[in-house]
Amino acid sequence: MKVLALETATKAGSIAIADEGVFIGEVRLDVSIAHAERVMDSIAWLLKSSHISIGEIDAFALSIGPGSFTGLRIGLSTIKGLAFSTKKPVVPVPTLDAMARRLPFSSYYICPMLDARKDEVYTALYRWEGNACVKIIPETAVEPGEFLRTLKGPAVFMGDGAVKYKNVISGILKTDALFPPSSFMSPAASSIAEIALEKLRDGIEAGPVSLTPLYIRKAEAEIRWKA
């Protein structure tokens, strides 16, 4: 079963194609300058380079959030369009879940952090139990220091929020704060595709109409409109 996955929750966007047990290819793109047309051009390039037609894709997957409001809307509109036109199912994957999966079988807690602005991060806490990456604390938007003071034991921090608040993290947790190489700091569409394939095997999918981003908190425009 071939899956095309799209990750646009952060500036470090990506597109990947995976099959059962086979990783076919991945493209990275800067979402901050990637309008919907450029995303579609990148998808077309990856399909052509992989010698796969859009009709051969069995399902689509996307990073559903939390993350950049603009980036998530770009990803959602792109995947909805592809799903409608091909009549194929969609698998939404929480962004932080996919990030934690990038550190398989870590013996430490895994704490992905995305910059949520307003001196907050989107974060959650995970740990590996056997072959499963288990979510210990669900997604939240929180001031970093407040969240960090609840942690007990060493943790690996990843994401642009971890980069931005590295000094804060290290100052509170000292030697219990661990950071992976920069190549593991961003979400990846390949992880989205892997989780989507697992969900599809379990019969978990959605139609494009029902898809909504996992924002965690309201957009600034919505807050101002209600005010």
Side-chain angles (χ1 to χ4, degrees):
M1 179 176 286
K2 294 183 178 65
V3 170
L4 188 151
L6 184 58
E7 164 52 63
T8 58
T10 71
K11 291 181 180 180
S14 54
I15 303 157
I17 300 175
D19 203 345
E20 291 288 348
V22 179
F23 175 66
I24 296 174
E26 187 170 24
V27 172
R28 299 276 178 158
L29 68 160
D30 187 340
V31 176
S32 65
I33 59 173
H35 301 296
E37 294 84 358
R38 185 161 175 252
V39 173
M40 287 302 299
D41 286 345
S42 298
I43 290 173
W45 182 89
L46 181 58
L47 287 167
K48 182 178 179 180
S49 300
S50 303
H51 302 287
I52 296 172
S53 70
I54 193 68
E56 293 177 90
I57 298 297
D58 299 297
F60 298 95
L62 80 158
S63 174
I64 201 68
S68 159
F69 288 81
T70 300
L72 292 176
R73 286 194 291 268
I74 289 174
L76 192 62
S77 62
T78 302
I79 289 297
K80 278 189 173 185
L82 291 171
F84 271 122
S85 64
T86 60
K87 296 180 172 60
K88 299 293 175 64
V90 179
V91 181
V93 176
T95 305
L96 301 181
D97 289 9
M99 291 182 70
R101 282 283 297 265
R102 298 200 69 199
L103 300 176
F105 311 115
S106 171
S107 58
Y108 303 112
Y109 287 111
I110 302 173
C111 187
M113 283 186 169
L114 296 178
D115 182 17
R117 301 184 181 182
K118 298 183 177 179
D119 298 321
E120 290 186 337
V121 292
Y122 298 121
T123 189
L125 191 68
Y126 302 81
R127 71 180 175 200
W128 281 88
E129 297 180 359
N131 291 324
C133 188
V134 179
K135 190 182 303 184
I136 306 301
I137 299 177
E139 293 95 336
T140 185
V142 66
E143 189 272 323
E146 178 184 342
F147 185 82
L148 292 167
R149 292 182 183 94
T150 67
L151 302 186
K152 306 294 183 184
V156 183
F157 293 87
M158 57 198 307
D160 59 8
V163 173
K164 181 175 181 178
Y165 294 103
K166 185 174 182 178
N167 290 339
V168 175
I169 297 168
S170 298
I172 293 174
L173 295 182
K174 310 300 182 185
T175 57
D176 280 345
L178 306 168
F179 300 90
S182 58
S183 58
F184 287 87
M185 278 294 186
S186 302
S190 51
S191 295
I192 300 293
E194 289 174 358
I195 294 175
L197 284 166
E198 294 174 5
K199 288 179 176 288
L200 287 166
R201 286 195 293 269
D202 292 335
I204 301 172
E205 59 184 57
V209 175
S210 63
L211 288 176
T212 56
L214 177 63
Y215 283 138
I216 302 296
R217 71 182 187 198
K218 295 177 182 177
E220 186 66 25
E222 184 179 356
I223 293 172
R224 289 179 179 176
W225 181 82
K226 288 188 175 181

